[in-house]
Structure formats: structure tokens, C-alpha cells
Amino acid sequence: MSAISSLISKKTTSFAGAVKVPGDKSISHRALMFGALAVGETMISGLLEGEDVLCTAEAMRAMGADIEKCSDGLWRVYGVGVGGLKQPEAPLYMGNSGTSTRLLMGLVAGHDIEARFTGDASLSKRPMNRVIKPLEMMGAEFEASEGGRLPLSVKGARDVLAIEYRLPVASAQVKSAVLLAGLNARGTTTVIEDKPTRDHTEKMLRAFGVKVLVEDLEDGAQAIRLLGQQELCPCAVDVPGDPSSAAFPAVAAALIDGAEVRLSRVGVNERRAGLYKTLKEMGADICFEHERVEAGEEVADIVVRGGRPLQGITLDPARVPSMIDEFPALAMAAACAQGTMHMSGLAELRVKESDRLLMVAKGLEACGVSLEMGEDSLTIHGTGKPPRGGATIATALDHRIAMAFLVLGCVSDEPISVDDGSPIQTSFPNFIALMNDLGAAIGPVDA
Ligand code: S3P
């Protein structure tokens, strides 16, 4: 990760313009992985060139794929075919990226190779047993650090067993890890999910010509079935803008009087769009324009106009998976809204890049916001005005904590600083330039 850098965000008086946020992180990881598993050449445009995705590119190279950057966002991948990954010579360094780690653990588990995974201090605290358990059932062997954490080694299965697995947590990463291992199994691998999680793996596998069946079960769950040893056929992937990155300028725009921002060609897959629905219910002026489907993914221009009063609401916990990465941004909006915002079903936030529930609660309290944090809930009491601010926030190697509080600094009475802005490079390398182009005043603390 880049050198530690403290950043400060000062009050923004005007916020307007049309911008393109970087490519979707989830889709970018999958485009590189699936391109590397296809036979032949896959072209990817709009790839997110953040540190997390670059870790995936490096790992796929180390396992035999030929990957080159042609120009900004345009990448060419020559794949090795399912079953064709080679054993990496050195440990695979995953940086801060949980998605790279868990999905690649699935890929290695489905190949007759061994690999060691390492990561930064944040990633080394994150739970991996959730993928180890099903992948062991499929025949892979693991040696993990205490508590099922990184560094860990995987010995892939020689004969991958197709399993049926019901997800114990709503996690697209676990679902994808099992499906990716299942790509090289002899029978049909089934993942059952009780709550719908992001479905980019299913959609993109189909775009690569793989048959993936999705069945609605009587109990309301969904079964995703994949027959192993199908070939992936290369295709062109045009990565849409990341709705999780768009969340930051969108929330800033909703909070700033007179703001008008267009975020062009953002992914609005309904399993990712929970934040936008929620902001609308809180009273924000947000609309999707030019809605269309491109390569199986819904995209739209998101237009946000600021200055409408926001109201705190009680969030339906069933919506949580469709906005799992957006709670830091949403909490900033809730801190400026009128009345109480109650959010529950948030246990997964404790195992993200940081304990996000704690980091959000501590940061907001330091900015003068009244709130209660529960084991898996957060209740924020807004006053209808932006909070005082004037604090330095600990980001704990979490890009979204850093960006969320820099957004709050755009409206708080006193500037807000973050102790380390470098994790922003993992997902949104041009965050400061994009925000400042729209009118924000974010920069190094010493400037
Ligand atoms: C992701 C799934 C989510 C999300 C992460 C990306 C993915 O994680 O938080 O940023 O690309 O599959 P979980 O599967 O742990 O919920």
C-alpha cells in the first residue's frame, strides 16, 4: 500500500458536475479471473486499476495467465483454461483485498496445485474459515494461521468433489469461492443462499458461455447450480462504474445545498443498489437516467440534487446485503438527517476491512453525533443539521471509513481529517481529484 498520508476535508460551498467513477471492483476482479480461465483472449475495458484488483492481476499472472495493460482501463488477458492454472512459485500477496483472497482460494482449491496467501494487517485479521469449510468438503486441504486467518496455505483437490452448500452467512465471496472451485468438479455444484447477495459471478460466468442455473426454492431461498468442467469462452467485458464508489459523491451531493451531480454509467444491479433506494426513502432527490442492460448488468446515470431535508428511517434488515459496503457512507447521511436512523442486521460489518460498525460509531461520536451501537446495530440521532466535525478519524486501513468521513467533512462545521488516506488507493485511486473537480476541498493535512 502507498505511504501513510493524513487528509483533511473542509466545508464545500458548491458541488456540481458530471463525472465517471472508476470501474466496479467486484466485476473487475471477476473479469481478470474469468479471462484467465477462458481459452483465448479476453479484452476488458473500464477495469478498476486500484490496488485490490492489481493484486488479483498479479496472482493470475503468477498462476500462468498472460495479462497486459494496453492503455488506461483497457486490459488483455490470455487464459489457460479451467484446470490449467499452474502452481505459483512465490506466496500470493493479496494486500488489503478480501475478494481476491476468498475467490482465489476457491480457484486454487479446484486445481491440483498449492499456493500460500499473505496480506496486509487488515486482511490478516479477517475470517477465512467461512471459505475453508466448504472448500475442504470439496477436497482441498488448508493450513491456516490461528482462527482460520492469513497467512494460509491451500493444497487444491486432485479430484474436486461437487457439493451442495447452504451459505451460513450472506456472502457473495463465499458463494463465488464454492462456484469457482466447482468449475473444475465432475458433477453439479450447488450453492443455496437464503438472502440474495451480489450475483456478478453468476452473470459473468454466463457471459463467458457457462451454464449457471438459478432456481427459486419453496422456502424463499435460491439455489445456484453449476455443472463442472464447462469451458469458458472469452468475451469482451466493459466494466460499469462502481455503485459503492459512487456512494461517496452521491451522499456528498445529497447533503450539499444546491448540488447537482451526474455519475455516468454506474452499475445499478438491484443486488447492489440498496443505498440509493434508502437515500430516496430518507427524502433525497436521486434518480436513475438512461437505465439499460449491458452484458447482463444494469447500468444507469445516477443524478443527485442536493439540499432536500433528509429524515432518519428504520432500515429493513433484508436490504442489508444489497448495500453491505455502503454503511459508512449511509451513516454520514444519517448523521445529518432529522430524527433517528435505526440500522440492524449489521453483524457482517464487524469483519470488513475494519470493524466498520465500531469505526463509524467512534468517528461519528468524535464529530459530535449522538448514537447507540449494538452488537449488530447502529442507531444515529440526527438533528437535521451537519454535525460539528473538527476531529481526526482513525481509518484502521479501511478505504471506506476514510472516504466516508472525508465526505462528512464537506458539510460539517469544522474540517474533518483522516489519519491515513492511503487505503483509498485500494478501490478509488482518483477519489480526491474527482471530489475536488466537483467542488470539494480535500487535500493533505500539511498543505
Ligand atoms: C464482494 C462481496 C462482499 C463485499 C465485498 C465484495 C464480492 O463481501 O463486501 O466488498 O465482490 O463478492 P462478502 O461476500 O463478505 O459479503
Side-chain angles (χ1 to χ4, degrees):
M1 201 177 280
S2 346
I4 289 180
S5 60
S6 317
L7 296 172
I8 187 162
S9 174
K10 299 179 185 160
K11 204 176 199 107
T12 302
T13 44
S14 76
F15 198 67
V19 287
K20 214 168 174 310
V21 297
D24 189 276
K25 185 148 74 73
S26 294
I27 294 178
S28 294
H29 284 299
R30 287 158 172 84
L32 288 170
M33 291 178 197
F34 298 172
L37 288 179
V39 181
E41 179 188 287
T42 291
M43 292 302 295
I44 309 170
S45 49
L47 188 85
L48 166 64
E49 291 168 356
E51 288 171 353
D52 280 12
V53 174
L54 298 180
C55 284
T56 291
E58 215 31 64
M60 296 319 298
R61 277 192 190 116
M63 291 192 281
D66 195 354
I67 301 181
E68 61 172 353
K69 175 172 168 165
C70 307
S71 58
D72 279 353
L74 186 67
W75 289 60
R76 182 184 289 129
V77 183
Y78 291 94
V80 295
V82 171
L85 293 180
K86 76 171 175 64
Q87 180 155 314
E89 280 165 18
L92 302 174
Y93 179 66
M94 302 282 98
N96 190 257
S97 179
T99 308
S100 310
T101 309
R102 296 195 178 117
L103 270 56
L104 291 178
M105 282 167 70
L107 271 187
V108 171
H111 280 74
D112 188 11
I113 58 174
E114 288 181 39
R116 186 161 176 80
F117 289 87
T118 62
D120 73 4
S122 151
L123 187 59
S124 304
K125 286 189 203 143
R126 299 183 66 184
M128 296 299 155
N129 277 335
R130 53 181 60 198
V131 275
I132 291 177
K133 193 174 161 220
L135 296 176
E136 277 180 342
M137 291 160 66
M138 300 178 87
E141 291 168 29
F142 292 84
E143 259 176 48
S145 302
E146 207 185 324
R149 295 182 206 267
L150 260 50
L152 63 75
S153 301
V154 188
K155 187 174 182 312
R158 187 158 292 162
D159 268 315
V160 188
L161 298 173
I163 58 167
E164 176 172 305
Y165 191 67
R166 191 165 202 128
L167 296 179
V169 278
S171 167
Q173 292 179 354
V174 180
K175 169 173 68 176
S176 302
V178 174
L179 292 174
L180 292 186
L183 275 178
N184 204 21
R186 236 177 280 161
T188 297
T189 295
T190 303
V191 178
I192 298 174
E193 58 180 9
D194 292 303
K195 292 184 192 147
T197 64
R198 65 188 69 191
D199 55 358
H200 305 304
T201 296
E202 300 89 304
K203 286 190 157 155
M204 202 186 291
L205 280 175
R206 287 201 189 107
F208 276 81
V210 174
K211 282 200 193 79
V212 182
L213 301 176
V214 178
E215 189 192 335
D216 291 324
L217 304 179
E218 275 174 12
D219 59 4
Q222 263 191 345
I224 300 106
R225 300 187 205 283
L226 170 106
L227 176 64
Q229 302 190 339
Q230 301 181 56
E231 191 165 295
L232 272 72
C233 308
C235 70
V237 183
D238 192 3
V239 182
D242 196 324
S244 302
S245 297
F248 299 104
V251 166
L255 297 178
I256 296 170
D257 270 344
E260 179 159 354
V261 165
R262 174 179 295 269
L263 303 158
S264 358
R265 199 173 174 271
V266 179
V268 290
N269 178 326
E270 65 167 337
R271 296 187 181 203
R272 296 288 300 282
L275 170 78
Y276 299 97
K277 265 191 210 157
T278 305
L279 288 172
K280 274 191 210 172
E281 286 170 11
M282 293 170 74
D285 182 352
I286 297 186
C287 58
F288 291 174
E289 291 184 3
H290 305 126
E291 282 186 74
R292 63 235 184 239
V293 176
E294 290 180 8
E297 291 284 352
E298 295 82 6
V299 295
D301 294 351
I302 301 179
V303 179
V304 188
R305 294 182 181 87
R308 285 240 195 117
L310 300 187
Q311 187 69 43
I313 59 171
T314 295
L315 186 75
D316 178 358
R319 191 180 287 169
V320 170
S322 71
M323 51 187 297
I324 190 65
D325 291 335
E326 278 63 85
F327 283 93
L330 178 63
M332 304 303 128
C336 303
Q338 173 70 52
T340 296
M341 177 95 188
H342 181 63
M343 298 163 275
S344 59
L346 306 184
E348 278 295 297
L349 296 194
R350 299 235 180 240
V351 291
K352 293 295 176 190
E353 285 82 331
S354 68
D355 177 343
R356 278 193 183 147
L357 212 44
L358 182 66
M359 300 317 287
V360 164
K362 281 210 302 206
L364 283 180
E365 274 178 338
C367 292
V369 178
S370 148
L371 57 85
E372 288 105 43
M373 181 184 74
E375 254 325 289
D376 74 342
S377 67
L378 188 60
T379 304
I380 296 175
H381 305 287
T383 59
K385 284 197 301 234
R388 182 194 68 231
T392 298
I393 307 299
T395 52
L397 289 178
D398 189 331
H399 53 137
R400 295 200 168 105
I401 296 295
M403 290 186 278
F405 280 96
L406 292 170
V407 164
L408 190 62
C410 295
V411 292
S412 56
D413 298 334
E414 295 169 31
I416 294 178
S417 307
V418 297
D419 65 351
D420 182 8
S422 58
I424 295 172
Q425 295 298 319
T426 61
S427 69
F428 200 158
N430 63 335
F431 171 74
I432 299 175
L434 182 143
M435 290 291 288
N436 289 352
D437 278 352
L438 291 170
I442 302 175
V445 163
D446 302 326

